[in-house]
Amino acid sequence: MSIQIITPQQWQTQRWQNGGGITHQLCRKDDEQGLLWRVSVAEVATDGPFSRFDNIDRVIMLLAGAGFSLMGVGDNPQLLATPLAPFSFAGETPIHCSLINGAVRDFNLMTRRGALTASLEVLTLNSEAQLLPLGGQTIIFVAKGGVEAAVNGQRFTLDTEHSLLLSNEKGTLQLSASNAAKVVFIRLDAATER
């Protein structure tokens, strides 16, 4: 059981080998087979192919910028121009990304297929508290605004782009905000637990 706040100053930043962008890793977990899950924010500066991740399920959504189009996920390009609208795809899919009008910033969740069940929701918070069930791993990412969080008698204040990482905590998480904050709520459980 552990509770951790992750600020942007703690992100692990890596430039892409192709020079087309930057990935900020917020948090991740590996096991003896490699990547189990990862949460990251990417800054995409140019058009180009996505990296291939075999046996990984991905969820991506726009955080800032005009948006981008993904070719390779179906007969027609998938347009991601609405902020915080999740799109899921298989990590081994050969995808080419085209920017609509300049650089974008996006949010990414990766989970190993078959090992985890993952749920991702985008919530709008106001002063009325929302109670949320905790998973084996629960991750809150504040996309906009400031958030008050309470879990098992502990209270936390989270600013924009702060994350709250809860590992094996029981009970519920209470979230509230003073003005229409947007949060990404992620629950990860071992596939055999549900």
Side-chain angles (χ1 to χ4, degrees):
M1 293 174 29
S2 69
I3 300 175
Q4 181 183 2
I5 293 176
I6 301 164
T7 67
Q9 291 73 33
Q10 296 168 287
W11 294 355
Q12 296 178 12
T13 298
Q14 186 173 15
R15 292 195 175 276
W16 298 353
Q17 289 184 345
N18 66 9
I22 298 170
T23 293
H24 305 286
Q25 181 175 283
L26 282 60
C27 50
R28 73 179 279 162
K29 185 172 183 180
D30 292 79
D31 63 11
E32 63 280 353
Q33 297 176 47
L35 175 68
L36 190 60
W37 59 263
R38 184 178 90 165
V39 174
S40 61
V41 170
E43 297 181 35
V44 188
T46 62
D47 297 354
F50 273 19
S51 296
R52 181 184 174 107
F53 292 93
D54 288 332
N55 203 37
I56 297 291
D57 290 326
R58 298 187 61 179
V59 181
I60 191 170
M61 58 188 170
L62 180 68
L63 290 175
F68 52 99
S69 180
L70 302 181
M71 273 78 74
V73 289
D75 294 337
N76 298 308
Q78 177 69 38
L79 181 64
L80 296 175
T82 302
L84 299 174
F87 175 69
S88 302
F89 62 98
E92 56 268 28
T93 306
I95 287 179
H96 189 276
C97 171
S98 295
L99 302 175
I100 293 171
N101 186 20
V104 299
R105 192 174 178 92
D106 63 46
F107 181 90
N108 294 271
L109 169 65
M110 295 185 186
T111 55
R112 188 192 308 149
R113 189 173 306 125
L116 295 172
T117 57
S119 67
L120 181 152
E121 296 177 75
V122 177
L123 307 173
T124 301
L125 300 177
N126 294 295
S127 56
E128 186 175 331
Q130 288 195 37
L131 288 176
L132 303 166
L134 296 175
Q137 198 81 54
T138 305
I139 304 155
I140 298 293
F141 173 76
V142 182
K144 175 187 169 192
V147 172
E148 298 295 324
V151 60
N152 296 333
Q154 299 184 69
R155 303 189 72 82
F156 306 93
T157 299
L158 306 171
D159 294 325
T160 301
E161 293 197 330
H162 284 197
S163 302
L164 181 64
L165 178 60
L166 306 166
S167 301
N168 298 311
E169 292 288 330
K170 303 298 182 190
T172 56
L173 171 67
Q174 179 178 299
L175 296 178
S176 61
S178 56
N179 57 347
K182 296 278 190 184
V183 301
V184 182
F185 172 58
I186 297 169
R187 282 187 58 191
L188 305 173
D189 289 292
T192 56
E193 287 181 3
R194 295 181 79 166

